[in-house]
Amino acid sequence: VSARGDSLPLPVTDLGGKLTISPESMILTDFTMKFGSSDIQLAGKMSNYLSFIKEDVSQSQLPNVTGNYSSTLLNMDEMIDWDEETDPNEPIPIELPNLNAKVGADISKLIILGITLTDVSGNGEMNPVKIVLSDAKATMFEGTATGNMVWDIPAPTNTKINFSGTLNELAAKAFFRDTGFLGENSTIHEYIEGALSADVHYISNLNPALSPVLSTTNAEGSFGMTKARLGNHPIQMKVANFLKVKELETLALDEWKSDFTIKNEVLTFKNLNLTSDKIGLEMNGTHHLNNDKIDYKAVIALPGTFKKGLSSVIGEQVVNALTQENGTISVPLLITGTSTNPTVRPDETVIKKIVEDYLKEQGGNILKNILGGN
């Protein structure tokens, strides 16, 4: 059997299976078909199927599907007429069928919105206004993702995503570039490489083009990176130029980890720590994802070999006060402006307190030596 029609965006071919029908239900055994390049295998049961031809049916009386779904390829993008979707802001309406379903899914390769996922598995539930995925697993961006997701679809162009899960060893550049996680204006993917891992709870409305609406985005969690490289980002370039430490311009990171939240269009970093060889950074602060304004407090830890260069910037006495017992020089900084045009300056309030304490200690040591000498 094959099928083609104006209501079908793609041809249906290789249709086959065994269907047992009674007035109460349809039982489908080994159903297979191809829809364009996608293959579909179904086995299960549909009850209340006669509701398809009835009007004004309550949700509890809708057709109800239970069973298992599998595909070696499910190409969702092929099912969208991209010739009509030339504008990236063109609405992509999501319309769910009038039925209830609860199925297990196993998909070898899934393509959706240009993103390829492989080895997809999990349990799915659906009704006319919601899709729920639980115990879902997928390989994506060269890493793996596990978790639970609810996609509320009260209207075709008004949807909301709620995801809780774990990302493990994802390619950071591709993830930030292709998902819009930090908003459409984010450019972090231009400067970063490495493997991203995160535990995250993420909620956001999606606009009609299925991009996150930042004003509605709420997220929290922690993330870290391994085998990471950060190079030529405007913030690090400005810090490197200010401190006269060229080594900061390109960093091969030994470790990068942080807690974060996103709320009211503001990304807040808490306890962001990164190390690169003998250079370290601790940072807390905010980044407004819409207007790009940043407000960070940072401490750069540099080896003692940079003492002479730093002394020409902030003074020898200040550098002495900022030098730790192990010889590391910890420089407090304020970073403001925008991520593309940052302003870097010493955190004078913190430095003043450190210098005062240092001078008191030095004065006490001098007095102690004098009294000891007597």
Side-chain angles (χ1 to χ4, degrees):
V1 177
S2 63
R4 183 185 295 271
D6 293 340
S7 62
L8 294 173
L10 299 169
V12 174
T13 59
D14 300 335
L15 180 65
K18 180 180 179 181
L19 181 64
T20 304
I21 302 175
S22 71
E24 294 77 26
S25 66
M26 293 182 180
I27 298 175
L28 194 60
T29 306
D30 298 327
F31 173 85
T32 62
M33 66 177 254
K34 292 196 72 175
F35 188 50
S37 65
S38 300
D39 63 280
I40 295 170
Q41 293 86 45
L42 286 170
K45 176 181 178 182
M46 178 187 289
S47 57
N48 298 335
Y49 69 91
L50 292 175
S51 295
F52 274 128
I53 60 174
K54 297 179 181 179
E55 296 183 359
D56 301 323
V57 177
S58 67
Q59 184 167 319
S60 62
Q61 295 176 316
L62 288 174
N64 187 69
V65 174
T66 57
N68 294 289
Y69 170 91
S70 64
S71 287
T72 55
L73 170 64
L74 178 59
N75 189 344
M76 300 295 293
D77 287 356
E78 188 183 47
M79 301 175 191
I80 300 172
D81 187 352
W82 292 109
D83 290 337
E84 297 182 1
E85 309 292 348
T86 55
D87 185 344
N89 296 315
E90 185 76 18
I92 303 175
I94 304 299
E95 298 184 23
L96 299 180
N98 285 320
L99 58 81
N100 299 315
K102 186 174 183 179
V103 299
D106 190 353
I107 304 169
S108 298
K109 184 177 181 180
L110 170 64
I111 302 173
I112 181 168
L113 297 177
I115 299 173
T116 299
L117 296 82
T118 59
D119 300 323
V120 180
S121 64
N123 298 307
E125 296 183 43
M126 183 182 71
N127 60 46
V129 295
K130 182 182 293 188
I131 296 174
V132 179
L133 298 178
S134 56
D135 300 322
K137 300 178 182 178
T139 299
M140 57 188 297
F141 300 116
E142 303 175 25
T144 58
T146 59
N148 303 294
M149 184 191 77
V150 178
W151 192 356
D152 288 303
I153 308 172
T157 57
N158 176 24
T159 71
K160 181 178 182 178
I161 287 287
N162 186 329
F163 171 79
S164 292
T166 299
L167 310 177
N168 187 44
E169 298 285 315
L170 272 60
K173 179 185 286 290
F175 173 79
F176 287 122
R177 181 190 63 221
D178 296 343
T179 64
F181 183 79
L182 296 179
E184 295 178 348
N185 298 323
S186 173
T187 58
I188 185 64
H189 60 274
E190 298 177 8
Y191 308 101
I192 196 167
E193 294 180 357
L196 171 73
S197 297
D199 292 304
V200 60
H201 182 201
Y202 180 88
I203 302 173
S204 183
N205 289 355
L206 303 181
N207 66 21
L210 300 183
S211 294
V213 179
L214 283 177
S215 60
T216 68
T217 299
N218 285 277
E220 62 179 0
S222 61
F223 72 90
M225 292 190 66
T226 57
K227 297 173 284 188
R229 190 175 186 86
L230 183 65
N232 301 319
H233 191 283
I235 293 177
Q236 73 182 116
M237 296 297 287
K238 190 60 70 76
V239 171
N241 183 63
F242 175 75
L243 295 177
K244 292 182 170 53
V245 179
K246 191 173 181 59
E247 286 80 355
L248 290 171
E249 294 180 0
T250 301
L251 297 173
L253 304 178
D254 304 315
E255 185 178 22
W256 183 355
K257 59 183 180 180
S258 178
D259 298 322
F260 75 93
T261 61
I262 299 175
K263 188 173 184 179
N264 298 325
E265 303 183 351
V266 175
L267 169 64
T268 301
F269 288 115
K270 299 178 181 178
N271 305 317
L272 189 154
N273 291 275
L274 62 84
T275 60
S276 175
D277 194 15
K278 296 180 181 180
I279 295 174
L281 168 69
E282 296 179 6
M283 189 168 74
N284 295 274
T286 60
H287 179 191
H288 198 290
L289 298 176
N290 190 16
N291 61 31
D292 198 36
K293 288 186 177 179
I294 57 175
D295 186 6
Y296 294 133
K297 287 190 173 185
V299 177
I300 305 286
L302 299 167
T305 52
F306 292 99
K307 184 174 183 178
K308 184 176 180 180
L310 288 173
S311 296
S312 67
V313 178
I314 56 178
E316 183 177 356
Q317 191 173 54
V318 173
V319 171
N320 289 337
L322 298 177
T323 301
Q324 310 300 303
E325 290 185 1
N326 63 2
T328 299
I329 306 167
S330 297
V331 185
L333 298 174
L334 296 177
I335 305 172
T336 54
T338 66
S339 69
T340 56
N341 187 25
T343 298
V344 177
R345 64 186 189 276
D347 190 339
E348 295 181 0
T349 301
V350 173
I351 291 177
K352 180 180 179 182
K353 180 67 168 57
I354 293 173
V355 171
E356 288 176 348
D357 291 344
Y358 171 77
L359 293 176
K360 287 180 182 178
E361 183 178 350
Q362 290 298 104
N365 290 338
I366 292 172
L367 182 59
K368 183 177 179 181
N369 290 335
I370 293 173
L371 293 177
N374 291 334

